[in-house]
Amino acid sequence: MTNNIKNEQSPGNEPGQAAPSAFVVGGGAAGLHAARRLAAAGARVTVFDAMASVGRKFLLAGKGGLNLTHAEPLPAFTARYGDAAPRVAAWLDRFGPDAVRGLARELGFDTFVGSSGRVFPLDMKAGPMMRAWVRDLREAGVAFRVRHRFLGWTSDGALRFQTPDGEVHARADATVLALGGGSWSRLGSDGAWVEPLRAAGVSVAALRPANCGFDCDWEPRFAARWQGQPLKTVAARRSGTPEWRRGELLVTATGIEGSLVYALSAGLRDALERDGRAILELDLLPDHSQAAVHAALAAPRGSRSRSEHWRRRLGLTGLKAALVHACTTREHWDDADALAPRIKSLPLVLTRTRPIDEAISTAGGVTLDAVDEHLMLRARPGVFVAGEMLDWEAPTGGYLLTASLASAMVAAHGASAWLEAHADAL
């Protein structure tokens, strides 16, 4: 049994002058931003979400401090989006990092720039901002329907939703889809929309993990001793590339994860898919030149043990020393000529990405040639797409949220223009 639902009349509309209706499917940051823009343009907006409440990924991502955006210059900021940078740049022209900070101010939250260039609200918390955001939308007349899971479209174009009371169908004059990527399924971002969109003739690239960890197939003794331990003050690069990045990572039971790994994950993942393995090179002593490392290793150690010599001369101890043992052969350990270059470029062989549901975000999604410049689906006019559903990716550090909000602004502007252009037919 199915039921039909209608969009509510927003407060403030004059009797007999019903505003056009707009649905936003997906209650994450991109969906809420699109809803706000559509409501400001005068549409009757309803937000649908599969979960019992909206903004769950936003809330979880902010548990360690809500990173809204990044303060680096816009050309460098835009370059973070890799192959998709030319398209994302057009979104950022509409709604860039400064506009993200402006949105926070409009919701009542001042921001600051941290030492890393990342931008946070003063209280660092996601919960108060999400509550203010939802309150702002309700005051603007936006309606919410939770526990409505998107299933696709009926043969005559109505949206299908699975609810606790069965399947329901709904129609609006324009729709923005903001259903997220394929990670964090427990929060509703499970990629279940892929097949309904493909069935509707939309080109969708396979979802792949992004900002993810990797397996290294540690020896059991190494994993048992060091899992959960951070590796700090190191630099890393993907083998074959020139640029080193400094940061830290975390050893897991199966491999590595953490901000430094995430920053390099796109290239590492692509190498794994292409070659069956990828090599991450670690500079364990980025503040020492290779010549200095060589000199320290070559110095006479007298009666000191090898590990004590490494500790005294280089501060190489603990996890760093264990990695040298794990990733080199015994013949290297007392050979300064062989060991110095390895300490400065220690190869970690990565064998697999971690499962997509463990990833912070996903690559893949609705291909950018499947939408026009307003992010409207070419295969389904009047339906727009925003956020991680689209085929782009970015590192953590505020880049994901900023581009998601920027794409939502573009999609909402497109939907508003569509409603205006088709007003006589609605």
Side-chain angles (χ1 to χ4, degrees), residues 77-82 84 88 210-212 262-266 269 360-363 388 390-404:
F77 190 102
T78 304
R80 302 291 187 181
Y81 299 95
V88 176
N211 292 296
C212 60
Y262 303 152
L264 300 168
S265 63
R269 178 203 62 221
I360 291 176
S361 59
T362 49
E388 281 192 59
L390 292 160
D391 186 12
W392 59 276
E393 62 180 308
T396 58
Y399 306 102
L400 285 164
L401 180 58
T402 300
S404 290

Short mmCIF file of all heavy atoms in Angstrom, two decimals, residues 77-82 84 88 210-212 262-266 269 360-363 388 390-404:
data_model
loop_
_atom_site.label_atom_id
_atom_site.label_comp_id
_atom_site.label_asym_id
_atom_site.label_seq_id
_atom_site.Cartn_x
_atom_site.Cartn_y
_atom_site.Cartn_z
N PHE A 77 43.64 26.51 -1.97
CA PHE A 77 42.43 25.84 -1.48
C PHE A 77 41.78 25.05 -2.62
O PHE A 77 41.45 23.87 -2.49
CB PHE A 77 41.47 26.89 -0.94
CG PHE A 77 40.29 26.36 -0.19
CD1 PHE A 77 40.25 26.39 1.19
CD2 PHE A 77 39.19 25.84 -0.87
CE1 PHE A 77 39.14 25.90 1.89
CE2 PHE A 77 38.09 25.35 -0.19
CZ PHE A 77 38.07 25.38 1.19
N THR A 78 41.60 25.70 -3.75
CA THR A 78 40.92 25.07 -4.89
C THR A 78 41.72 23.88 -5.42
O THR A 78 41.14 22.86 -5.84
CB THR A 78 40.70 26.09 -6.00
OG1 THR A 78 39.96 27.20 -5.48
CG2 THR A 78 39.93 25.48 -7.17
N ALA A 79 43.04 23.97 -5.38
CA ALA A 79 43.87 22.88 -5.89
C ALA A 79 43.69 21.59 -5.11
O ALA A 79 44.03 20.51 -5.61
CB ALA A 79 45.34 23.30 -5.87
N ARG A 80 43.15 21.68 -3.91
CA ARG A 80 42.95 20.48 -3.09
C ARG A 80 41.95 19.50 -3.71
O ARG A 80 41.88 18.34 -3.29
CB ARG A 80 42.44 20.86 -1.69
CG ARG A 80 43.36 21.80 -0.91
CD ARG A 80 44.62 21.13 -0.50
NE ARG A 80 45.41 22.00 0.39
CZ ARG A 80 46.59 21.68 0.90
NH1 ARG A 80 47.13 20.51 0.59
NH2 ARG A 80 47.23 22.51 1.69
N TYR A 81 41.19 19.95 -4.68
CA TYR A 81 40.14 19.10 -5.25
C TYR A 81 40.61 18.31 -6.46
O TYR A 81 39.81 17.65 -7.13
CB TYR A 81 38.92 19.96 -5.58
CG TYR A 81 38.35 20.62 -4.35
CD1 TYR A 81 38.72 21.91 -3.99
CD2 TYR A 81 37.50 19.92 -3.50
CE1 TYR A 81 38.23 22.50 -2.83
CE2 TYR A 81 37.00 20.51 -2.35
CZ TYR A 81 37.39 21.80 -2.02
OH TYR A 81 36.91 22.38 -0.86
N GLY A 82 41.91 18.34 -6.74
CA GLY A 82 42.47 17.47 -7.76
C GLY A 82 41.85 17.65 -9.12
O GLY A 82 41.68 18.77 -9.61
N ALA A 84 38.90 17.41 -10.10
CA ALA A 84 37.61 18.12 -10.11
C ALA A 84 37.76 19.61 -9.83
O ALA A 84 36.76 20.33 -9.82
CB ALA A 84 36.66 17.49 -9.09
N VAL A 88 34.85 22.49 -9.24
CA VAL A 88 34.64 22.94 -7.87
C VAL A 88 34.93 24.43 -7.74
O VAL A 88 34.28 25.14 -6.96
CB VAL A 88 35.48 22.11 -6.88
CG1 VAL A 88 35.33 22.63 -5.46
CG2 VAL A 88 35.07 20.63 -6.94
N ALA A 210 37.56 7.32 0.39
CA ALA A 210 38.45 8.49 0.35
C ALA A 210 38.72 8.90 1.79
O ALA A 210 37.91 8.64 2.68
CB ALA A 210 37.82 9.63 -0.44
N ASN A 211 39.86 9.56 2.00
CA ASN A 211 40.26 9.89 3.37
C ASN A 211 40.15 8.64 4.24
O ASN A 211 39.43 8.61 5.24
CB ASN A 211 39.39 11.03 3.92
CG ASN A 211 39.67 12.33 3.20
OD1 ASN A 211 40.77 12.86 3.27
ND2 ASN A 211 38.68 12.84 2.49
N CYS A 212 40.87 7.63 3.83
CA CYS A 212 40.72 6.31 4.43
C CYS A 212 42.05 5.78 4.94
O CYS A 212 43.12 6.29 4.60
CB CYS A 212 40.15 5.33 3.41
SG CYS A 212 41.19 5.12 1.94
N TYR A 262 45.38 10.31 5.34
CA TYR A 262 44.21 10.78 4.60
C TYR A 262 44.60 11.80 3.52
O TYR A 262 44.04 11.81 2.43
CB TYR A 262 43.19 11.42 5.54
CG TYR A 262 42.71 10.52 6.65
CD1 TYR A 262 42.27 11.06 7.86
CD2 TYR A 262 42.71 9.14 6.51
CE1 TYR A 262 41.83 10.24 8.89
CE2 TYR A 262 42.27 8.31 7.54
CZ TYR A 262 41.84 8.87 8.73
OH TYR A 262 41.41 8.07 9.75
N ALA A 263 45.58 12.65 3.83
CA ALA A 263 46.00 13.67 2.87
C ALA A 263 46.56 13.05 1.60
O ALA A 263 46.52 13.66 0.52
CB ALA A 263 47.02 14.59 3.51
N LEU A 264 47.09 11.83 1.70
CA LEU A 264 47.70 11.16 0.56
C LEU A 264 46.85 10.02 0.02
O LEU A 264 47.25 9.32 -0.91
CB LEU A 264 49.07 10.60 0.97
CG LEU A 264 50.10 11.64 1.46
CD1 LEU A 264 51.28 10.94 2.10
CD2 LEU A 264 50.55 12.52 0.32
N SER A 265 45.67 9.83 0.59
CA SER A 265 44.92 8.60 0.33
C SER A 265 44.43 8.47 -1.10
O SER A 265 44.34 7.35 -1.61
CB SER A 265 43.74 8.49 1.31
OG SER A 265 42.81 9.54 1.13
N ALA A 266 44.09 9.56 -1.76
CA ALA A 266 43.56 9.44 -3.12
C ALA A 266 44.59 8.81 -4.05
O ALA A 266 44.29 7.86 -4.79
CB ALA A 266 43.14 10.81 -3.64
N ARG A 269 45.21 5.12 -3.00
CA ARG A 269 44.09 4.26 -3.43
C ARG A 269 44.16 3.98 -4.92
O ARG A 269 43.98 2.84 -5.38
CB ARG A 269 42.78 4.94 -3.08
CG ARG A 269 41.52 4.17 -3.50
CD ARG A 269 40.34 5.12 -3.64
NE ARG A 269 40.58 6.11 -4.66
CZ ARG A 269 40.25 7.41 -4.55
NH1 ARG A 269 39.67 7.86 -3.45
NH2 ARG A 269 40.51 8.25 -5.54
N ILE A 360 36.27 8.27 5.88
CA ILE A 360 35.66 9.54 6.26
C ILE A 360 34.73 10.03 5.16
O ILE A 360 33.68 10.62 5.42
CB ILE A 360 36.75 10.57 6.57
CG1 ILE A 360 37.48 10.17 7.85
CG2 ILE A 360 36.16 11.98 6.71
CD1 ILE A 360 38.64 11.06 8.20
N SER A 361 35.10 9.78 3.92
CA SER A 361 34.28 10.24 2.79
C SER A 361 34.47 9.26 1.64
O SER A 361 35.19 8.27 1.76
CB SER A 361 34.69 11.66 2.37
OG SER A 361 36.05 11.70 1.99
N THR A 362 33.82 9.55 0.52
CA THR A 362 33.93 8.68 -0.64
C THR A 362 34.22 9.48 -1.90
O THR A 362 33.82 10.64 -2.03
CB THR A 362 32.64 7.85 -0.87
OG1 THR A 362 31.50 8.72 -0.83
CG2 THR A 362 32.49 6.78 0.18
N ALA A 363 34.93 8.84 -2.81
CA ALA A 363 35.04 9.32 -4.18
C ALA A 363 33.98 8.61 -5.02
O ALA A 363 33.33 7.68 -4.55
CB ALA A 363 36.43 9.03 -4.72
N GLU A 388 28.29 15.25 -1.38
CA GLU A 388 29.14 14.10 -1.67
C GLU A 388 28.53 13.12 -2.67
O GLU A 388 29.22 12.19 -3.10
CB GLU A 388 29.48 13.35 -0.38
CG GLU A 388 30.58 13.99 0.44
CD GLU A 388 31.06 13.05 1.53
OE1 GLU A 388 31.53 11.93 1.22
OE2 GLU A 388 30.95 13.42 2.71
N LEU A 390 28.03 13.84 -5.62
CA LEU A 390 28.73 14.15 -6.86
C LEU A 390 30.14 13.56 -6.84
O LEU A 390 30.72 13.33 -5.80
CB LEU A 390 28.80 15.67 -7.05
CG LEU A 390 27.45 16.34 -7.33
CD1 LEU A 390 27.50 17.83 -7.02
CD2 LEU A 390 27.04 16.11 -8.79
N ASP A 391 30.69 13.35 -8.03
CA ASP A 391 31.97 12.67 -8.18
C ASP A 391 33.12 13.67 -8.04
O ASP A 391 33.68 14.17 -9.02
CB ASP A 391 32.04 11.97 -9.53
CG ASP A 391 33.31 11.13 -9.68
OD1 ASP A 391 34.00 10.93 -8.67
OD2 ASP A 391 33.59 10.68 -10.81
N TRP A 392 33.46 13.98 -6.80
CA TRP A 392 34.63 14.79 -6.47
C TRP A 392 35.12 14.31 -5.12
O TRP A 392 34.41 13.60 -4.41
CB TRP A 392 34.29 16.29 -6.40
CG TRP A 392 33.23 16.62 -5.38
CD1 TRP A 392 31.88 16.56 -5.55
CD2 TRP A 392 33.43 17.01 -4.02
NE1 TRP A 392 31.23 16.88 -4.38
CE2 TRP A 392 32.16 17.18 -3.43
CE3 TRP A 392 34.56 17.26 -3.24
CZ2 TRP A 392 31.99 17.57 -2.10
CZ3 TRP A 392 34.40 17.64 -1.91
CH2 TRP A 392 33.12 17.81 -1.36
N GLU A 393 36.31 14.66 -4.75
CA GLU A 393 36.81 14.32 -3.42
C GLU A 393 37.79 15.39 -2.98
O GLU A 393 38.30 16.17 -3.78
CB GLU A 393 37.46 12.94 -3.41
CG GLU A 393 38.67 12.79 -4.31
CD GLU A 393 39.25 11.38 -4.25
OE1 GLU A 393 39.52 10.90 -3.12
OE2 GLU A 393 39.45 10.77 -5.31
N ALA A 394 38.07 15.41 -1.69
CA ALA A 394 38.98 16.39 -1.11
C ALA A 394 39.53 15.83 0.19
O ALA A 394 38.91 14.96 0.81
CB ALA A 394 38.25 17.70 -0.85
N PRO A 395 40.69 16.32 0.61
CA PRO A 395 41.21 15.90 1.92
C PRO A 395 40.40 16.52 3.04
O PRO A 395 39.60 17.44 2.84
CB PRO A 395 42.64 16.44 1.91
CG PRO A 395 42.59 17.62 1.01
CD PRO A 395 41.59 17.27 -0.06
N THR A 396 40.60 16.00 4.24
CA THR A 396 40.00 16.62 5.41
C THR A 396 40.67 17.97 5.67
O THR A 396 41.69 18.29 5.08
CB THR A 396 40.17 15.72 6.64
OG1 THR A 396 41.57 15.48 6.84
CG2 THR A 396 39.46 14.40 6.46
N GLY A 397 40.09 18.75 6.55
CA GLY A 397 40.65 20.06 6.85
C GLY A 397 39.68 21.18 6.52
O GLY A 397 40.07 22.34 6.41
N GLY A 398 38.40 20.84 6.33
CA GLY A 398 37.40 21.84 5.99
C GLY A 398 37.06 21.87 4.52
O GLY A 398 36.07 22.50 4.12
N TYR A 399 37.85 21.17 3.70
CA TYR A 399 37.61 21.19 2.25
C TYR A 399 36.35 20.42 1.87
O TYR A 399 35.61 20.83 0.96
CB TYR A 399 38.82 20.60 1.53
CG TYR A 399 40.12 21.27 1.91
CD1 TYR A 399 41.00 20.67 2.80
CD2 TYR A 399 40.44 22.52 1.41
CE1 TYR A 399 42.19 21.28 3.17
CE2 TYR A 399 41.63 23.15 1.76
CZ TYR A 399 42.50 22.52 2.65
OH TYR A 399 43.67 23.14 3.02
N LEU A 400 36.09 19.31 2.54
CA LEU A 400 34.89 18.53 2.25
C LEU A 400 33.63 19.33 2.54
O LEU A 400 32.72 19.42 1.70
CB LEU A 400 34.89 17.24 3.08
CG LEU A 400 35.84 16.14 2.64
CD1 LEU A 400 36.02 15.12 3.77
CD2 LEU A 400 35.33 15.46 1.40
N LEU A 401 33.56 19.90 3.72
CA LEU A 401 32.36 20.64 4.09
C LEU A 401 32.17 21.87 3.22
O LEU A 401 31.05 22.17 2.78
CB LEU A 401 32.43 21.04 5.57
CG LEU A 401 31.23 21.83 6.11
CD1 LEU A 401 29.94 21.04 5.94
CD2 LEU A 401 31.45 22.19 7.58
N THR A 402 33.25 22.58 2.92
CA THR A 402 33.13 23.80 2.13
C THR A 402 32.58 23.50 0.74
O THR A 402 31.65 24.17 0.27
CB THR A 402 34.49 24.51 2.01
OG1 THR A 402 34.95 24.85 3.31
CG2 THR A 402 34.38 25.77 1.18
N ALA A 403 33.12 22.50 0.07
CA ALA A 403 32.64 22.18 -1.28
C ALA A 403 31.23 21.61 -1.25
O ALA A 403 30.44 21.85 -2.17
CB ALA A 403 33.58 21.22 -1.98
N SER A 404 30.90 20.87 -0.20
CA SER A 404 29.52 20.37 -0.09
C SER A 404 28.54 21.53 0.03
O SER A 404 27.50 21.56 -0.65
CB SER A 404 29.39 19.46 1.14
OG SER A 404 30.07 18.24 0.94
#
